[in-house]
């Protein structure tokens, strides 16, 4: 695609994620927000005014040859149809996870994306976070030696609304799937087996719905590397996002991002800022970087990563973790 004009991006979704992406598109020097689609027309109008864009219909977006790509940040139930329509008219796709809620549909979509050859980015945003990207780069450069243990911590300040928990399919699909993607990306391996345990500790409605809010997952990699994931939907001190890789030659650690790095010391001890309050603040730079990556790749050509196949792999592992949680046994993969 030509570098002489701004890429025209249409946005599906005027909710929380849509608002993030709209702001980043508007701020990008080589992209333009060509329109916003949402079933909630009032929300779409509000975001369109704030973004100096306009509300458009789904048919209008897909029929417009001037639109280069679509950014899908709408409800997960809409993703399959929007992806299929984008592929059908040759528009590049930037899609929030998940591709779909059920594994069969995800397999079908991943195959369709591969067969189409159309640029497709699945927004596993942590890959674009400066901290995680640096950790991955230094790990690949051998700073810690061959990895032996990978520890991934993700703890939200509180659980989502119970309606969202049920609609999303639960913690393993909503939260743990990000850590599963990190495990695959950091190690460069696909796990041989998964073992998972979980509990409901934060809200009795989560337990009543048959879901959990606290999990531990162990992935065993072909090399023998062990990955330990711990997640909670309760963190009294903020949005807790940490990683550690222990290897034959040492250790790499990624700590929380704090509003300021200043620690005040006195006779009572030390006091620092709490971690960022939630993902919107913690991963703000990651969202900017993933959009810039998408735009740059469309301009320059070349495959996009992570793609639909990564979403499929992560969901397969998450479903195996669910099976392990139900059975109390490790589940073999592959």
């Amino acid at each position: 695609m030509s570098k002489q004009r701004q890429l025209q991006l249409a946005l599906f979704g005027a909710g929380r994620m849509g608002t993030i992406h709209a702001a980043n598109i508007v701020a990008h020097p080589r992209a333009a927000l060509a329109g916003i689609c949402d079933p909630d027309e009032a929300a779409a109008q509000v975001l369109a005014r704030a973004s100096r864009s306009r509300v458009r219909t789904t048919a209008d977006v897909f029929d417009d040859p001037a639109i280069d790509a679509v950014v899908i940040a709408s409800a997960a139930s809409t993703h399959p149809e929007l992806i299929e329509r984008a592929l059908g008219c040759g528009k590049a796709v930037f899609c929030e996870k998940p591709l779909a809620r059920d594994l069969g549909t995800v397999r079908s979509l991943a195959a369709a994306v591969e067969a189409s050859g159309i640029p497709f980015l699945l927004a596993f945003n942590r890959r674009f976070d400066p901290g995680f990207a640096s950790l991955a780069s230094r790990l690949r450069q051998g700073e810690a030696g061959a990895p032996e243990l990978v520890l991934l911590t993700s703890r939200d300040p509180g659980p989502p609304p119970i309606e969202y928990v049920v609609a999303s399919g639960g913690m393993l699909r909503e939260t743990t799937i990000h850590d599963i993607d990190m495990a695959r990306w950091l190690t460069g391996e696909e796990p041989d087996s998964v073992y998972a345990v979980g509990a409901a500790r934060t809200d009795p409605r989560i337990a009543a719905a048959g879901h959990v809010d606290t999990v531990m997952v162990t992935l065993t990699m072909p090399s023998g590397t062990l990955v330990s994931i711990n997640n909670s939907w309760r963190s009294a001190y903020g949005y807790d996002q940490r990683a550690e890789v222990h290897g034959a030659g040492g250790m790499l650690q990624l700590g929380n991002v704090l509003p300021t790095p200043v620690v005040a010391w006195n006779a009572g001890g030390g006091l620092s800022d709490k971690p960022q309050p939630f993902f919107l603040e913690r991963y703000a730079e990651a969202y900017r970087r993933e959009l810039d990556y998408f735009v740059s790749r469309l301009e320059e050509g070349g495959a996009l990563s992570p793609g639909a196949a990564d979403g499929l792999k992560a969901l397969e592992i998450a479903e195996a973790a669910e099976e392990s949680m139900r059975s109390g046994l490790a589940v073999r993969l592959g």
Side-chain angles (χ1 to χ4, degrees), residues 154-245:
S154 296
R155 300 171 187 161
D156 288 14
I162 186 62
E163 298 80 10
Y164 186 86
V165 173
V166 173
S168 70
M171 174 172 257
L172 287 165
R173 295 166 184 257
E174 178 62 22
T175 296
T176 313
I177 200 163
H178 281 286
D179 297 290
I180 290 170
D181 181 67
M182 275 294 98
R184 296 180 59 246
W185 188 54
L186 290 172
T187 65
E189 296 188 85
E190 302 295 346
D192 281 336
S193 68
V194 56
Y195 176 71
V197 292
R201 304 296 303 276
T202 70
D203 186 334
R205 293 175 298 174
I206 292 175
H211 289 286
V212 298
D213 52 33
T214 309
V215 303
M216 297 192 72
V217 177
T218 299
L219 303 175
T220 302
M221 300 302 190
S223 65
T225 299
L226 299 178
V227 179
S228 176
I229 297 169
N230 73 89
N231 298 144
S232 173
W233 276 342
R234 175 160 54 202
S235 173
Y237 48 87
Y239 188 52
D240 191 357
Q241 299 283 290
R242 290 173 285 130
E244 179 179 302
V245 180

Side-chain angles (χ1 to χ4, degrees), residues 18 21 36 47 57 65 67-68 80 93 95 108 119 133 142 158 181 193 196 212 235 238 253 282 284 300 317:
H21 292 309
I36 297 169
L47 184 56
T57 66
I67 291 178
D68 300 298
V93 179
C95 185
S108 176
D181 181 67
S193 68
V212 298
S235 173
Q253 286 184 321
R282 170 63 181 82
E300 300 163 2
I317 297 166

Side-chain angles (χ1 to χ4, degrees), residues 9-281:
L9 308 181
L11 172 66
F12 288 92
R16 184 165 60 181
M17 290 308 305
T19 300
I20 291 171
H21 292 309
N24 288 337
I25 294 168
V26 170
H28 198 286
R30 303 192 312 282
L33 184 56
I36 297 169
C37 302
D38 195 288
D40 185 341
E41 188 171 347
Q45 290 286 359
V46 168
L47 184 56
R49 285 194 295 271
S51 307
R52 298 184 180 179
S53 183
R54 62 190 176 103
V55 175
R56 301 181 70 164
T57 66
T58 299
D60 183 32
V61 166
F62 288 121
D63 289 343
D64 187 348
I67 291 178
D68 300 298
V70 295
V71 176
I72 301 174
S74 49
S77 60
T78 69
H79 292 189
E81 179 184 355
L82 294 175
I83 291 169
E84 289 169 351
R85 292 185 69 172
L87 298 180
C89 61
K91 297 189 188 301
V93 179
F94 175 128
C95 185
E96 282 295 323
K97 66 89 178 166
L99 293 168
R101 293 297 188 197
D102 66 284
L103 193 54
T105 302
V106 171
R107 285 187 176 130
S108 176
L109 289 171
V113 168
E114 183 178 4
S116 73
I118 291 169
F120 187 99
L121 180 69
L122 185 63
F124 275 131
N125 61 291
R126 293 182 193 178
R127 295 198 189 194
F128 299 92
D129 172 68
F132 275 106
S134 177
L135 175 64
S137 175
R138 295 172 70 168
L139 180 61
R140 286 167 176 72
Q141 291 168 17
E143 281 195 42
E148 296 170 353
L149 288 171
V150 179
L151 310 177
L152 300 171
T153 295
S154 296
R155 300 171 187 161
D156 288 14
I162 186 62
E163 298 80 10
Y164 186 86
V165 173
V166 173
S168 70
M171 174 172 257
L172 287 165
R173 295 166 184 257
E174 178 62 22
T175 296
T176 313
I177 200 163
H178 281 286
D179 297 290
I180 290 170
D181 181 67
M182 275 294 98
R184 296 180 59 246
W185 188 54
L186 290 172
T187 65
E189 296 188 85
E190 302 295 346
D192 281 336
S193 68
V194 56
Y195 176 71
V197 292
R201 304 296 303 276
T202 70
D203 186 334
R205 293 175 298 174
I206 292 175
H211 289 286
V212 298
D213 52 33
T214 309
V215 303
M216 297 192 72
V217 177
T218 299
L219 303 175
T220 302
M221 300 302 190
S223 65
T225 299
L226 299 178
V227 179
S228 176
I229 297 169
N230 73 89
N231 298 144
S232 173
W233 276 342
R234 175 160 54 202
S235 173
Y237 48 87
Y239 188 52
D240 191 357
Q241 299 283 290
R242 290 173 285 130
E244 179 179 302
V245 180
H246 172 76
M251 179 174 64
L252 294 169
Q253 286 184 321
L254 173 63
N256 278 311
V257 174
L258 308 181
T260 73
V262 177
V263 180
W265 290 93
N266 56 37
L271 181 65
S272 72
D273 289 344
K274 295 190 297 184
Q276 295 282 8
F278 205 26
F279 75 93
L280 298 172
E281 297 85 2

